[in-house]
Amino acid sequence: MTAPLALLDAASLYFRSYFALPESMTAPDGTPVNAVRGFADTLARILTDRRPGRLVACLDADWRPQFRVDLLPSYKAHRVAETGAGGPDVEEVPDTLTPQVPVILELLEAVGLATAEAAGYEADDVIGTLATREDADPVEVVTGDRDLFQLVRAEPTPVSVIYVGKGWAKAEVLGPAEVAARYGVPVDSAGPAYADMAALRGDPSDGLPGVAGIGEKTAAKLITQFGSLEALLKAARDESPEVPVKTRTRLAEAAEYLAAAPTVVRVAPDAPVVLSGDDRVPPAPADPDRVAALAERWNLGGSVDRLLKALSG
């Protein structure tokens, strides 16, 4: 079987590492490195357990893109620490995590693992674009974010999600059949159907209000019945007897939200992605001396050892 292309939702992974490991993991100068070590350990597990031939750590160039905010001002609004003056808004991030992110990026570069981002777009969009473009290898998206379930597909190039919401030890591999079974959406269109269901359901963690009175099960049932959000809304506008009056009323009351939600919820398939480095997984670190220096400076010890072993294995 062809080795997969692993697309990592980097911020999702290092946030989870930060909260999973104690801040008592520090560098010699006392700087916490729990996120760095956890991220390196997760990388090692991905390389060992999934054996990707190619890997890209996908980054947020803009965690709250303006095109989404223009459509839906509530999008991630509760996470804004300060409004950017002429630039992107600043996300509320723990003080002791922020200094660790450059170390993670430096380690990736020294090891020789590629990163990618797109100006004005989120990591989700970078992943969506790279997954859409891929026409050679099966794609495995590694994330703790359910939003990326919308990318699963069987063809032309298979895309699955390695969901690590409960940690790598409890990682779940979700393809179309698994997403369909979990959410009650059609297996032949599980990814797009999930996106439509998510728009209807909403997601408070992203500032998406959803349609009042329509929860996850009802949303999935409606999308399955009508095939898409667009078809459901057309049937509601046409006063189809297949759409209950109460549901038609709820959809009409949420018309402004529903006009914006699809673009906000769906990941972009055509973001201007810039790839840094070669996405092929190297058999050895690109710059061993730099890796060793980083390991010593930041007290990364066993985590870097495990990562290097995973490369050579």
Side-chain angles (χ1 to χ4, degrees), residues 74-79 146 198 201-210:
S74 65
Y75 182 65
K76 295 186 178 179
H78 59 295
R79 299 193 211 167
R146 296 184 303 168
R201 175 198 65 198
D203 186 348
S205 69
D206 280 341
L208 302 172

Side-chain angles (χ1 to χ4, degrees), residues 87-163:
D89 292 337
V90 178
E91 184 177 15
E92 188 172 4
V93 176
D95 291 343
T96 51
L97 171 57
T98 301
Q100 299 188 57
V101 176
V103 182
I104 289 170
L105 298 180
E106 193 172 357
L107 180 61
L108 285 167
E109 184 178 37
V111 169
L113 293 171
T115 60
E117 60 185 347
Y121 290 84
E122 300 176 58
D124 286 11
D125 302 309
V126 176
I127 292 169
T129 297
L130 293 177
T132 300
R133 281 184 193 170
E134 184 59 31
D135 60 2
D137 301 322
V139 176
E140 294 188 344
V141 176
V142 185
T143 184
D145 188 348
R146 296 184 303 168
D147 293 345
L148 291 169
F149 292 172
Q150 65 181 275
L151 294 177
V152 301
R153 69 184 188 208
E155 53 186 24
T157 305
V159 178
S160 57
V161 170
I162 313 296
Y163 181 62

Side-chain angles (χ1 to χ4, degrees), residues 18 43 70 76 119 249 259 261:
Y18 174 83
L43 266 178
D70 289 344
K76 295 186 178 179
T249 300

Side-chain angles (χ1 to χ4, degrees), residues 61-269:
D62 188 343
W63 68 280
R64 190 174 182 247
Q66 193 60 46
F67 75 91
R68 290 192 169 100
V69 176
D70 289 344
L71 288 167
L72 193 68
S74 65
Y75 182 65
K76 295 186 178 179
H78 59 295
R79 299 193 211 167
V80 176
E82 57 183 271
T83 302
D89 292 337
V90 178
E91 184 177 15
E92 188 172 4
V93 176
D95 291 343
T96 51
L97 171 57
T98 301
Q100 299 188 57
V101 176
V103 182
I104 289 170
L105 298 180
E106 193 172 357
L107 180 61
L108 285 167
E109 184 178 37
V111 169
L113 293 171
T115 60
E117 60 185 347
Y121 290 84
E122 300 176 58
D124 286 11
D125 302 309
V126 176
I127 292 169
T129 297
L130 293 177
T132 300
R133 281 184 193 170
E134 184 59 31
D135 60 2
D137 301 322
V139 176
E140 294 188 344
V141 176
V142 185
T143 184
D145 188 348
R146 296 184 303 168
D147 293 345
L148 291 169
F149 292 172
Q150 65 181 275
L151 294 177
V152 301
R153 69 184 188 208
E155 53 186 24
T157 305
V159 178
S160 57
V161 170
I162 313 296
Y163 181 62
V164 294
K166 297 178 181 177
W168 188 263
K170 297 182 179 178
E172 302 170 83
V173 182
L174 288 88
E178 290 76 20
V179 171
R182 177 175 292 193
Y183 294 101
V185 294
V187 68
D188 60 347
S189 60
Y194 179 87
D196 284 350
M197 182 271 290
L200 271 180
R201 175 198 65 198
D203 186 348
S205 69
D206 280 341
L208 302 172
V211 177
I214 296 183
E216 189 169 278
K217 289 183 179 179
T218 301
K221 181 179 178 182
L222 288 168
I223 297 303
T224 298
Q225 180 181 353
F226 290 93
S228 68
L229 178 58
E230 184 179 1
L232 166 64
L233 296 177
K234 183 179 186 306
R237 287 193 300 269
D238 293 344
E239 298 185 356
S240 166
E242 293 184 26
V243 185
V245 173
K246 186 179 290 187
T247 300
R248 293 207 301 266
T249 300
R250 287 170 172 161
L251 294 173
E253 289 172 347
E256 186 175 351
Y257 162 74
L258 289 170
T263 303
V264 175
V265 170
R266 291 171 187 155
V267 300

